[in-house]
Amino acid sequence: MKKIILSVITITVLSLNIHAQNNNYMDFKAKKLVVLSDADMPASTYYTYQVDNKTKEYNDRLTIIDGDQIMSASSATSLPASNSVKLWPNNVAISPDGKYAVVAELFGPAPLGKSSIFATPPGEKLTVIDLDTKQVLAEKKVALGVAAIDFHPSGKMISVSANNTDGEVLLIPFNEGELGEPKTIDLDVPTTFLPGNISVAHLTWHPSGNFLAISTSLADDAVRFYKYDDKKQELTPWGNIVKPGKMAAISYWTPNGKHLIVTNIGWGPDVKGIYVESVTGTISSIAFDEDGTGENGPMHLVKSIVPAGVANENIAVSPNGNWVASLNFETSGYPENSEAYSPFYSISLYKLDNNSGMMTPKGQFFFEGVLPEGITFDGSSKYLAVAVFQHHNPNKNDSGSLDFFRLINGEKPKIVQTSHSIPVMRGAHIVKRID
């Protein structure tokens, strides 16, 4: 009997050791990872509206991690880049060739010491960073409240949404790290329910470069599509306006360009504090009519709506087009003495049909961390990286991190956290993968 018990114990220990070894192993496919941090405020400021610990060492940073050094992060470089977490996690763009990052400054730095969340001045500049030489190349003032930003697939232009009275979107020429003069485009979209805020809360270019999708989260919860004329530098409405869900926010195209995946957060003027109440969101897929040859012209249709977690501010679509992951920060940002407080966030996983756009929920998985908003798959679609704003762990409470996860495929797919984590500046809210 003792031999049998000892054998069982031995097998169990071996099994645990193997699991630990597997959990340590990671083959995350990326040339580089870029993490953006807004260090101005602790996560609880979202709910208390107060910043009480801003000191000189808290500077907004962009961290560059070389892909071949991810396991050791010995080559991580951190550079200054003023930015803000106060809208959606979409204010850094990477050039298609992977050489440059451009960061939009929605709000400027908060004052030192104690202050209100409303004390930060409007931002107005773009910061250009060379990701190869790891240097800040330029800072250029372009407009007040520059927010969502994306590179045109040609790499010759960036589009930026702004709090601009002349037009909601700026088209800015880009050439080898140099920004040209902006052209302002008036899309004539509805004004927001928050006076002085951004009408175009998100924008993303179609893989072809011929179309731009925008969301008006803080106005009419809609997604609009525009056809781009490169010669005239004009955007013309393309097809019907789509209402994919309440407070449609971040959206990304599937690799084949057939569908736009949208996160609908569920907040709004009817919610306590607009965003303070715990509301479960949804994820939608919109079938994009690129040809527009029907009798009524282009018709874009919502093909699938699936439930997400609470505060599902960001999503990632896998490079192979088979998966969608929703990053839900749940109630992890609440002060610890709040009844709503939870030390966990979650990732919801969906199987995606590339052709039909249908999404099938495959599970919701919970992890420790505060207010994560950045997520990306690796190039193999087998791993994920998540930018975590802060932690409940007292040993690393005042820093952010980039945490890594494995997607285990099978009859019951799972997302499992690896033991690998890279510390970054507090306020990490975006991560971008460069192939």
Side-chain angles (χ1 to χ4, degrees):
M1 179 66 72
K2 287 182 179 179
K3 288 183 178 180
I4 294 174
I5 293 172
L6 286 172
S7 297
V8 172
I9 292 172
T10 302
I11 292 169
T12 302
V13 171
L14 285 172
S15 175
L16 289 172
N17 285 338
I18 291 169
H19 175 75
Q21 290 170 7
N22 288 339
N23 208 33
N24 286 329
Y25 173 76
M26 187 174 68
D27 187 20
F28 194 98
K29 300 294 186 184
K31 182 180 178 182
K32 286 185 177 70
L33 289 170
V34 171
V35 182
L36 191 65
S37 296
D38 173 7
D40 279 339
M41 63 185 199
S44 59
T45 301
Y46 261 127
Y47 304 97
T48 65
Y49 307 126
Q50 297 300 312
V51 179
D52 59 2
N53 66 346
K54 175 70 185 292
T55 57
K56 289 182 179 179
E57 63 264 27
Y58 291 123
N59 297 302
D60 295 356
R61 311 294 289 182
L62 182 136
T63 302
I64 306 165
I65 304 164
D66 289 336
D68 58 357
Q69 297 293 325
I70 285 176
M71 290 305 293
S72 65
S74 60
S75 65
T77 301
S78 180
L79 301 170
S82 182
N83 70 93
S84 177
V85 71
K86 291 181 185 176
L87 195 52
W88 308 138
N90 56 9
N91 49 357
V92 61
I94 307 298
S95 60
D97 59 11
K99 292 182 178 180
Y100 305 99
V102 182
V103 179
E105 182 191 49
L106 177 61
F107 289 95
L112 297 178
K114 294 185 177 181
S115 66
S116 162
I117 193 175
F118 308 108
T120 49
E124 55 185 342
K125 68 182 180 182
L126 300 178
T127 301
V128 182
I129 293 173
D130 188 315
L131 297 175
D132 289 336
T133 64
K134 298 173 183 175
Q135 294 178 322
V136 175
L137 296 181
E139 293 181 339
K140 184 183 178 72
K141 293 181 179 181
V142 293
L144 285 177
V146 284
I149 183 170
D150 194 25
F151 262 95
H152 186 268
S154 68
K156 297 179 181 179
M157 176 190 68
I158 58 173
S159 56
V160 187
S161 67
N163 190 3
N164 197 329
T165 55
D166 297 328
E168 304 89 351
V169 172
L170 307 177
L171 302 181
I172 305 175
F174 187 88
N175 182 30
E176 296 297 323
E178 293 187 4
L179 296 167
E181 291 305 309
K183 178 177 180 178
T184 302
I185 305 292
D186 184 2
L187 299 180
D188 194 27
V189 297
T191 57
T192 72
F193 59 77
L194 290 174
N197 219 304
I198 305 298
S199 297
V200 176
H202 183 75
L203 46 76
T204 179
W205 286 99
H206 187 267
S208 68
N210 295 327
F211 302 94
L212 181 72
I214 71 163
S215 64
T216 49
S217 314
L218 306 180
D220 59 353
D221 296 333
V223 171
R224 292 168 167 80
F225 299 93
Y226 297 84
K227 189 167 187 179
Y228 177 60
D229 187 321
D230 186 36
K231 292 182 179 179
K232 297 180 180 179
Q233 280 201 314
E234 291 179 351
L235 291 167
T236 305
W238 183 256
N240 55 303
I241 297 170
V242 182
K243 296 289 188 78
K246 189 179 179 185
M247 195 165 274
I250 294 286
S251 63
Y252 292 111
W253 295 96
T254 56
N256 60 15
K258 290 184 177 181
H259 298 90
L260 185 73
I261 310 299
V262 186
T263 178
N264 313 300
I265 305 176
W267 294 331
D270 60 332
V271 173
K272 179 183 177 182
I274 298 176
Y275 63 83
V276 173
E277 190 174 341
S278 301
V279 178
T280 301
T282 61
I283 307 294
S284 302
S285 70
I286 301 173
F288 177 66
D289 186 355
E290 184 174 358
D291 298 327
T293 54
E295 279 187 30
N296 299 316
M299 289 296 296
H300 319 296
L301 302 173
V302 175
K303 298 295 289 186
S304 181
I305 302 176
V306 290
V310 173
N312 52 319
E313 278 208 12
N314 212 344
I315 50 174
V317 181
S318 65
N320 63 11
N322 293 334
W323 302 99
V324 173
S326 168
L327 184 59
N328 322 300
F329 65 70
E330 304 293 338
T331 58
S332 61
Y334 279 83
E336 292 189 19
N337 59 1
S338 166
E339 291 184 3
Y341 163 80
S342 167
F344 304 108
Y345 67 91
S346 71
I347 302 175
S348 301
L349 181 67
Y350 313 92
K351 188 71 174 178
L352 173 66
D353 186 311
N354 257 310
N355 293 315
S356 70
M358 295 301 296
M359 294 180 290
T360 305
K362 291 297 181 180
Q364 186 176 8
F365 309 91
F366 288 80
F367 308 98
E368 184 278 326
V370 179
L371 212 72
E373 295 186 13
I375 185 169
T376 184
F377 281 90
D378 81 320
S380 72
S381 302
K382 296 178 180 179
Y383 294 90
L384 296 110
V386 171
V388 181
F389 197 96
Q390 273 180 270
H391 286 272
H392 299 283
N393 184 339
N395 295 323
K396 55 179 181 179
N397 181 55
D398 226 18
S399 69
S401 68
L402 186 64
D403 294 348
F404 294 88
F405 303 80
R406 180 182 292 105
L407 195 166
I408 300 176
N409 200 353
E411 187 176 341
K412 293 183 178 181
K414 296 179 181 178
I415 295 175
V416 178
Q417 186 166 10
T418 72
S419 58
H420 192 56
S421 177
I422 299 174
V424 295
M425 175 59 76
R426 176 180 83 177
H429 63 112
I430 299 178
V431 57
K432 295 288 187 181
R433 182 193 77 248
I434 299 170
D435 296 324

